[in-house]
Amino acid sequence: MNKLRNLAFAAAGLTLLAGCTNNPYTGEREAGKAGIYGGVGAVTGAVIGAATSSKKDRAKGALIGAAVGGAAGGGYGYYVDTQEAKLRQTLQGTGVQVQRNGDDLKLIMPGNITFASNSSDISSGFYPTLNSLVTVFKEFDKNGIDIVGHTDSTGSMELNQNLSNRRAQSVASYLTSNGVPAQRISSYGAGPSQPIASNASEAGRAQNRRVEINLRPQ
């Protein structure tokens, strides 16, 4: 049993090392998401592999199970790691923020670069950024794309709800018209209901006027 446990942890350790990357801000070596998921998968696979093998083949079964489990566990994590890196590189200097939470990626596009005031017509200067997103979304085609429009609290609820709907739809329409499959995309407006800053100041209202694109596993 000790031998089996050691094999499982060794396999997990190898998977974690394979998933390690250098933190671009500190320069330190750290485990990436793929390595973490792969390590968990390796341990699970090792246990299952040993349990389903005969007594004399348990060590071999543990190693095979660890390899299969590690690959399966790390697969989507590695996919998101790569996609996140590509988005950060592509969107550098555009004003679009890239945030990650587990397997979900969020792109936050402030209103000052996307739409003119009280308009759902995409600003001409934002088209190059959207074109870059089209390219990335075609390359990484295993995500659902949820587009959400947001406003500040100035004006009536009805006005803000309609404006946020139209803005989200404008972005969705641009993506589909440039070859991103419509079945991957959903869009809706949240109006002023999901502020990320206080609406009591102009700076806060400017942050709340935004469009977000949420990328999630399909």
Side-chain angles (χ1 to χ4, degrees):
M1 182 59 69
N2 287 337
K3 184 177 181 181
L4 169 60
R5 184 178 60 206
N6 291 340
L7 284 168
F9 286 132
L14 288 172
T15 309
L16 281 167
L17 286 173
C20 284
T21 57
N22 285 324
N23 186 310
Y25 303 105
T26 66
E28 296 177 351
R29 192 78 167 164
E30 59 184 29
K33 304 290 192 305
I36 294 170
Y37 300 151
V40 173
V43 172
T44 304
V47 172
I48 294 173
T52 56
S53 302
S54 63
K55 186 173 182 179
K56 67 177 182 178
D57 291 331
R58 279 180 182 169
K60 181 180 178 181
L63 286 174
I64 293 173
V68 173
Y76 192 76
Y78 176 76
Y79 177 88
V80 179
D81 284 346
T82 308
Q83 185 181 33
E84 178 186 9
K86 184 63 174 286
L87 284 167
R88 290 190 185 279
Q89 178 186 27
T90 301
L91 297 172
Q92 188 173 12
T94 64
V96 177
Q97 299 177 48
V98 181
Q99 294 183 355
R100 179 166 178 176
N101 182 19
D103 282 344
D104 297 324
L105 290 170
K106 177 183 290 187
L107 309 178
I108 302 176
M109 302 178 289
N112 65 309
I113 66 171
T114 50
F115 299 95
S117 178
N118 207 25
S119 172
S120 58
D121 295 331
I122 296 172
S123 296
S124 59
F126 194 58
Y127 284 117
T129 301
L130 286 178
N131 291 336
S132 296
L133 289 179
V134 167
T135 300
V136 175
F137 292 162
K138 287 180 178 178
E139 179 182 354
F140 294 88
D141 58 359
K142 293 179 172 54
N143 303 98
I145 303 169
D146 299 331
I147 304 169
V148 188
H150 300 269
T151 68
D152 61 29
S153 60
T154 304
S156 70
M157 177 64 76
E158 181 180 7
L159 182 150
N160 284 318
Q161 184 63 51
N162 289 336
L163 180 60
S164 64
N165 279 330
R166 295 199 309 272
R167 287 180 166 178
Q169 185 56 53
S170 290
V171 174
S173 296
Y174 189 82
L175 296 181
T176 56
S177 67
N178 283 275
V180 180
Q183 60 266 30
R184 292 179 59 195
I185 299 174
S186 69
S187 66
Y188 68 93
S193 65
Q194 298 175 23
I196 57 175
S198 171
N199 279 303
S201 68
E202 175 52 40
R205 291 191 293 273
Q207 291 184 62
N208 293 331
R209 297 191 294 268
R210 68 198 191 278
V211 173
E212 295 180 352
I213 295 181
N214 300 301
L215 304 175
R216 50 172 175 73
Q218 282 187 302

